[in-house]
Each structure stands twice: as C-alpha cells, then as structure tokens.
DNA sequence: GAGAATACGGAAAAAATTATCCGTATCCGA
DNA sequence: TCGGATACGGATAATTTTTTCCGTATTCTC
C-alpha cells in the first residue's frame, strides 16, 4: 500500500468513516457486495468506468479495514468471493442513508450546478452576478466599496 | 477552481453526496457552521490542523454547491459569516448519522488497525499470518498450492 | 496452440487534492 | 509606527489518489 506521509487523526467519527469509504468507488463496492455481487470480475463489470486496478486496490483497503472478507476458493480457474463482515454490515444503514439523501436531492443538485454553469460561461450578460458577486468576492472591491 | 479533466458522473446518490462532503474538512465545516461557528477565523481556530487556505477553498466549494451561504458585512475590519442553506440543512441528518457511526465504532476500528500494525511490522514471528495469508494473498502461491 | 476467462501485482504517468508561502488591504491598540 | 486582528487570493510544491500499461499463471474452448 502507498505509504502515507501525513499522519491521520482518527479522533472523530467522520474521519473514520471517511477513511473507510472515502475512495472513489468504495461505496459502490460496499453496496454491490452487500447485494450479492461477490466476485471480482462481476464487480468490474458492474462498475465499468473504474479501472480494474483501482477496484482491486480499494477492495484490498476495504478488506484491510475489516469491512469485507475475501474468500479464496483454491480452484482453477481462480475463484474469489467477497463478503461483508459484521463490522461492514454495521455500516450499511449509514451508506444507505447517504445514498438515499443523494438520490433524493439529485435534481436539486443538478439544477443548482446548471445555473452555476450558465452564470459562469455566459460572457455576455451575467447581470445578477455582476450586481453583487464582485462586492462579495473581491477583497479589493470590498475595500473600495467601504 | 481547479479545472477537472475527468468528467464526473452524478447518476447515483453516493456520487453526489461525495462530491459535496468529500473534501478533507468539509464535514467538519458543515458541522461547525450548523453549530453556530460562523466566522472564517473561528472556523480556522476550531480546526487548527487544517491550513487556512484549504478551509477557504472548501468553504467556497460548499458555497458553490449550495450547502452554505456566505454573508458579507461591509465593515472594517472585514466581517463574514456562513450560514446553512435549507439545502445544506437537509443533509444534516446524514452527516450526523455518519459521525455517529464513526464515533460508535471508533474503538473497533482502532483495535483492528492496531492488530494490522502488529502483524505487519513484526519481522520475527507473525505466525498466524504466515499460516494462511501467503496462500490467500499470492497468486503464485495459490497456483503452487493447487 | 491461439484466445478467452479466471485473478492479481508492479511501475510509472496523470490527475486531483492539500500544504506552504507569498502577497493584498484596513483598522485598532500599545 | 509596529504587530496583530479581520478576510482573501495567486503560485507553486508536496502529497495522495487514480489511471494506464505492462506483466504473471492456469484452465477451458474452438
């Protein structure tokens, strides 16, 4: 594993949760494994936009953190399956609530971002913005304004 | 803001939530602001391990994502306050559940990590590990074992 | 026997995030 | 008038994460 240089401080709950599910695909992996998608190749097919390598790495980390368990069947061709540990299962409600919130506010979020886009790329007239943003944003402008 | 090169896909709830609170200190900031720590300097004092710069950046992003609102009082010396937006408040229960889970399992997690440490740095005898890990971990070993 | 599937790892490049250090400006108090 | 408080931004370095591309090995099918 990559050797970290900046020590981490796990004195608060969020830090721990983030350490565990912070990776780009980890929450997907947890979700999938909890829903019986167990084998590496299946997981890769389920998340095609992720490279095989990262999924591997993140699965290792989830295993390292005690969230999932890797079971190897000594067969040929190789067979591996992942299972949630009890510790991992304990976090499913949290993951679910995160997913639920995100899904519920997906539209809100998208529309918000769309509006930003508009006001950011329109070089012609971003009137409302020009009205207050400079005053709000710039230090210099504020100074002048006062 | 840093211009991203890999487009993001917000088709799932987790991705949205992560986009919003993924930053290193964002959840702290949300927590603090929701608990009436409003002014930039206060926030910085509350999170001394974070550099001023990152907090600024992450506050900008939270504002950009519609989670908090920045209110400028045109005074001298400068005064700024952050407030949760309704959208931001809607995510407080989720943040709370994340924090709660993390706090609840903090000890579990720490002990787990401690054990890993032991088995990783003991060069003398990590007997249990040697018994099964190599078989589990290495491809080659498995091949031989079969 | 070539090519698919299974599973995995190393090395290096690319991308993203965070840290560090510099600067701006005003005001207040010693 | 100097140091500290307020608040902020640019540029660059360091760190971390993710991607890409290479390789290993076995078995089964065509």
């Amino acid at each position: 594993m990559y050797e970290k240089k900046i020590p981490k401080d796990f004195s608060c709950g969020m830090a721990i949760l983030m350490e565990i599910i912070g990776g780009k695909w980890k929450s997907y992996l947890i979700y999938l494994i909890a829903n019986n998608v167990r084998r590496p190749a299946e997981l890769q097919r389920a998340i095609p936009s992720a490279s095989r390598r990262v999924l591997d790495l993140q699965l290792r980390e989830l295993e390292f953190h005690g969230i999932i368990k890797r079971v190897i069947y000594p067969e040929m061709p190789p067979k591996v399956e992942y299972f949630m540990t009890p510790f991992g299962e304990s976090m499913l409600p949290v993951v679910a609530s995160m997913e639920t919130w995100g899904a519920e506010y997906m539209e809100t979020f998208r529309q918000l971002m769309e509006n930003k886009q508009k006001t950011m790329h329109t070089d012609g007239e971003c009137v409302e913005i020009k009205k207050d943003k400079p005053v709000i944003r710039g230090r210099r402008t504020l100074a002048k304004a006062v």
Side-chain angles (χ1 to χ4, degrees), chain A:
Chain A
M1 229 178 278
Y2 177 81
E3 182 114 8
K4 303 236 172 60
K5 298 191 180 171
I6 297 177
K8 300 209 172 174
D9 164 22
F10 297 133
S11 58
C12 113
M14 275 304 303
I16 292 179
L17 191 119
M18 279 312 196
E19 170 75 7
I20 294 176
I21 58 165
K24 191 165 180 180
W25 309 101
K26 286 184 183 178
S27 53
Y28 293 86
L29 290 171
I30 291 174
Y31 169 79
L32 289 169
I33 294 171
N35 284 89
N36 304 323
V37 183
R38 309 202 173 296
R39 302 190 57 185
E42 285 177 346
L43 292 165
Q44 284 157 35
R45 278 190 292 267
I47 317 180
S49 22
S51 65
R52 196 261 308 156
R53 193 76 173 98
V54 212
L55 291 189
D56 273 10
L57 289 174
Q58 307 212 335
L59 284 166
R60 293 291 160 289
E61 284 176 24
L62 288 174
E63 191 194 8
F64 181 80
H65 285 144
I67 302 300
I68 60 176
K69 188 166 165 42
R70 178 131 138 273
V71 176
I72 287 83
Y73 302 91
E75 308 171 355
M76 235 0 121
K79 178 174 175 184
V80 166
E81 284 186 338
Y82 294 99
F83 295 90
M84 299 303 287
T85 62
F87 181 43
E89 279 180 356
S90 77
M91 83 185 313
L92 290 180
V94 185
V95 174
S97 82
M98 294 168 71
E99 163 64 31
T100 303
W101 181 89
E104 188 175 341
Y105 288 93
M106 189 176 288
E107 266 317 299
T108 309
F109 179 79
R110 279 191 178 147
Q111 279 172 20
L112 232 98
M113 291 306 97
E114 242 178 70
N115 292 341
K116 304 276 175 181
Q117 285 302 312
K118 261 188 246 151
T119 54
M120 289 179 83
H121 288 311
T122 313
D123 8 39
E125 5 111 2
C126 38
V127 194
E128 310 98 314
I129 300 307
K130 272 193 182 157
K131 259 189 210 147
D132 33 83
K133 274 294 148 85
V135 184
I136 293 189
R137 271 283 151 68
R139 210 69 275 305
R140 235 149 311 172
T141 324
L142 190 152
K144 272 181 207 153
V146 176

